[in-house]
Amino acid sequence: MADKPHIWEKTASNEEVSYFKEMVTHQASIGGMMVALTTGALLSIPMGLGIGAIPILVAVAAQSIAALFVPSSPVFRKMVDDRKRKERRTKAREHLIEEIQSRASENDPNWAAYKRMGERLKSLEKLAANRDTGLDKRMVDQLDDATVDFLGLWLAWLTLRERWDSVDERTLKRRIRQIDEELEKGHAAAVESHHLNKAKSDLEGILGRRQSLWGRAASLEAAMLAMADTYEEVYQRVMANPTASDVKVQLQEAVERMRVEEQLDLAVDVELSSVLDPKKRAAARLKKQGGLS
């Protein structure tokens, strides 16, 4: 069964990859062409342009032959996909940290939890370089994914808190009582009564959504605590017995416990997508600037 996409991967669902372009722009391809050009230039001085063109023609022919096989190679495609995925993860991490820094204080204990996860990850990366351990690069990448998921959960929690703080529950309840009093008097015309009932329904909807935020925020906070705890558990277990035969199975079970997509409802998912999507971020900035001007 295929892994579910992480929060930060969902914005790349429509991304198209040109494996031919990746092959042409690969360092090996560029390096080979530069060597051919240099060799051709050196040969053309004593022997003329005809001889000097031979290395270049050979390089072009090699590139043409490679283009028939390399872009469709599963090994090459996996290498490209892994690199692009790592780039997306890095960009997502930067964006999430930027958004969190604008919302959370420097003394927020979640910064310490995130830093500790990063330190554990570095230690496990060094351990994975040792072939005698059961820890491999794929498992380290999954643990790195979890650190970005932690940031995603944190930003989601901060977003819910902002929504909670932006609504004055007392004012809403007072306004609903005022509308009820107007309706009880019975002096309002039919059209006005319709508008009053509509306003009351809207206010009650806002109040209901606000009250539901608390439970969702509590669920996100619990998921963050569980993730940090599981990460520490993984670290201690691997460091205690890095050569255990079942270390991969244990790590996979721990990684699955740290997957957080199920903890995010649609509203929070959309909020995070807008943070991670460059086009949506640019539109949000323009909208904010327009509102301030």
Side-chain angles (χ1 to χ4, degrees), residues 35-182:
V35 170
L37 289 171
T38 302
T39 304
L42 293 174
L43 290 175
S44 66
I45 295 173
M47 300 181 181
L49 294 176
I51 299 298
I54 292 177
I56 300 174
L57 293 174
V58 171
V60 171
Q63 283 276 56
S64 301
I65 296 172
L68 297 175
F69 303 100
V70 174
S72 59
S73 167
V75 176
F76 180 76
R77 288 191 169 221
K78 184 178 185 305
M79 180 187 70
V80 173
D81 292 343
D82 288 347
R83 177 174 58 79
K84 286 191 169 294
R85 187 173 185 276
K86 184 177 180 180
E87 291 174 356
R88 289 197 300 270
R89 182 174 60 202
T90 299
K91 290 180 181 178
R93 188 192 307 278
E94 293 172 353
H95 295 326
L96 287 167
I97 289 176
E98 181 182 353
E99 293 294 326
I100 291 171
Q101 286 176 334
S102 68
R103 293 171 168 85
S105 69
E106 296 180 356
N107 298 324
D108 193 309
N110 287 318
W111 286 122
Y114 174 70
K115 180 180 178 181
R116 187 163 54 252
M117 291 172 73
E119 292 171 348
R120 300 311 194 207
L121 179 65
K122 289 181 180 179
S123 296
L124 293 173
E125 284 178 340
K126 293 179 181 179
L127 190 64
N130 185 350
R131 295 185 179 181
D132 294 335
T133 68
L135 189 65
D136 57 23
K137 183 179 181 299
R138 179 176 177 273
M139 294 306 304
V140 172
D141 283 342
Q142 288 183 320
L143 292 172
D144 200 4
D145 292 343
T147 64
V148 183
D149 282 344
F150 178 85
L151 293 174
L153 276 179
W154 188 5
L155 179 57
W157 183 84
L158 291 170
T159 302
L160 287 179
R161 192 183 69 177
E162 283 183 348
R163 292 171 60 188
W164 172 273
D165 294 338
S166 66
V167 178
D168 188 339
E169 185 172 348
R170 290 184 178 179
T171 301
L172 283 176
K173 290 181 177 180
R174 183 174 67 251
R175 184 59 185 139
I176 291 173
R177 287 196 301 269
Q178 291 173 346
I179 292 175
D180 284 335
E181 291 173 359
E182 288 293 324

Side-chain angles (χ1 to χ4, degrees), residues 230-242:
T230 302
Y231 214 92
E232 188 67 22
E233 176 190 336
V234 167
Y235 174 77
Q236 297 295 341
R237 183 175 296 180
V238 173
M239 297 305 290
N241 193 2

Side-chain angles (χ1 to χ4, degrees), residues 186-258:
H187 297 154
V191 175
E192 186 179 351
S193 295
H194 171 74
H195 289 310
L196 287 173
N197 280 310
K198 177 65 168 58
K200 178 182 177 182
S201 177
D202 291 341
L203 292 173
E204 288 176 338
I206 295 173
L207 185 60
R209 287 191 294 273
R210 183 181 189 273
Q211 291 171 343
S212 70
L213 291 176
W214 181 260
R216 287 150 60 192
S219 176
L220 288 171
E221 188 173 24
M224 290 169 58
L225 293 172
M227 177 177 288
D229 182 69
T230 302
Y231 214 92
E232 188 67 22
E233 176 190 336
V234 167
Y235 174 77
Q236 297 295 341
R237 183 175 296 180
V238 173
M239 297 305 290
N241 193 2
T243 60
S245 59
D246 63 341
V247 66
K248 287 187 178 181
V249 175
Q250 294 177 359
L251 283 174
Q252 190 61 49
E253 291 176 352
V255 167
E256 288 301 320
R257 294 208 310 270
M258 287 190 288

